[in-house]
Amino acid sequence: SSGINAEYGEYVRLRGQPDMGVLTGKSTDFGGSKLRPEATGYGLVYITLEALKKYNHYRYLPESRRAGISTNCFNGLKVLISGSGNVAQFAAEKVLELGGIVCSFSDSTGSITSEAGFTRAQLTEVCDLKNVKRGRLSELSGMSGAKYHAGKSVWQLGLNCDIALPCATQNEITVEGARNLVQGGCWCVAEGANMPTTNEAVDVLKSKVDIYIPAKAANAGGVATSALEMAQNSARLFWTAEEVDEKLKGIMNNIFATAYSTAQEFDRPWDLQFGANAAGFLKVYKAYKAMGYLKF
């Protein structure tokens, strides 16, 4: 971003020498990484895809859909996305690429929905409105096949879906919203925003939906790609977008595998929130013990 670029420029001026790895999110003109803007949204979809591949959810699908499900689980699934910024835009792009049906976006003034799903051209319109014109979704109320809901969040509308990807803001899914999702047939929730679900709503989701992937795992793609940017800076390398994307997929797949296996190990199958928490604590514990700080 321009802010990060200016901050880095000021840092270099004060230090009198460059140190590329001190800040991430820099322009690709001087040390930034390809796919850094896309990373959180793409990573969210990658970890969700990995969960879908692992989970035997065939009962949700008509017989005609079951062939090839292991390679593309998003195909034909209805996906609700909240937000319309960076994470929401790139999550939607990747869902469409995988054949999913994106049915919603939102901003602070309301939501826009499409029962049949937004097209790639319509997603481009949303991105142009937000990134170039800096407008509100209400300006797209006349979009073909879409309906605008003033003052309503996606989670208040009671829409039907298979998958929910909250990508807007903290605590956006309340108990009411969680219940609406359950009643609408949602069976998978993966968090793209930071802590978008209240604690009480998390309890509802974990007891009612089949897959719940917490933000600490699901939206790690952004910070992971910042780490990849630092690695490139240290090695004086510039990876292609394809190379970064492949590494991002590997990271998100590993995060899922770690959370999943840790939950299994503690006899909490598919409790990915517990698995992510326990895996994190165990990693810190083992490191401290190995360095001699702990005697137990």
Side-chain angles (χ1 to χ4, degrees), residues 156-229:
Q156 292 176 302
L157 301 176
L159 303 172
N160 295 332
C161 73
D162 296 293
I163 298 171
L165 303 177
C167 299
T169 190
Q170 185 173 340
N171 293 331
E172 58 176 291
I173 300 182
T174 62
V175 168
E176 175 198 6
R179 288 173 178 159
N180 285 340
L181 282 171
V182 172
Q183 290 169 7
C186 178
W187 49 272
C188 175
V189 178
E191 298 179 332
N194 290 320
M195 297 187 295
T197 312
T198 67
N199 289 334
E200 296 77 14
V202 168
D203 292 338
V204 173
L205 293 177
K206 288 179 67 175
S207 66
K208 298 293 185 181
V209 305
D210 291 356
I211 302 172
Y212 167 71
I213 312 177
K216 67 189 66 185
N219 79 0
V223 292
T225 304
S226 282
L228 295 178
E229 181 176 332

Side-chain angles (χ1 to χ4, degrees), residues 247-289:
K247 293 176 191 299
L248 174 61
K249 285 179 186 175
I251 290 168
M252 300 312 296
N253 292 352
N254 182 62
I255 289 172
F256 170 77
T258 301
Y260 176 84
S261 62
T262 304
Q264 294 281 98
E265 183 182 339
F266 284 87
D267 200 25
R268 301 275 290 267
W270 280 100
D271 188 344
L272 299 177
Q273 182 186 41
F274 174 85
N277 285 338
F281 281 120
L282 283 170
K283 188 168 188 176
V284 173
Y285 164 74
K286 290 175 181 177
Y288 267 63
K289 187 172 183 179

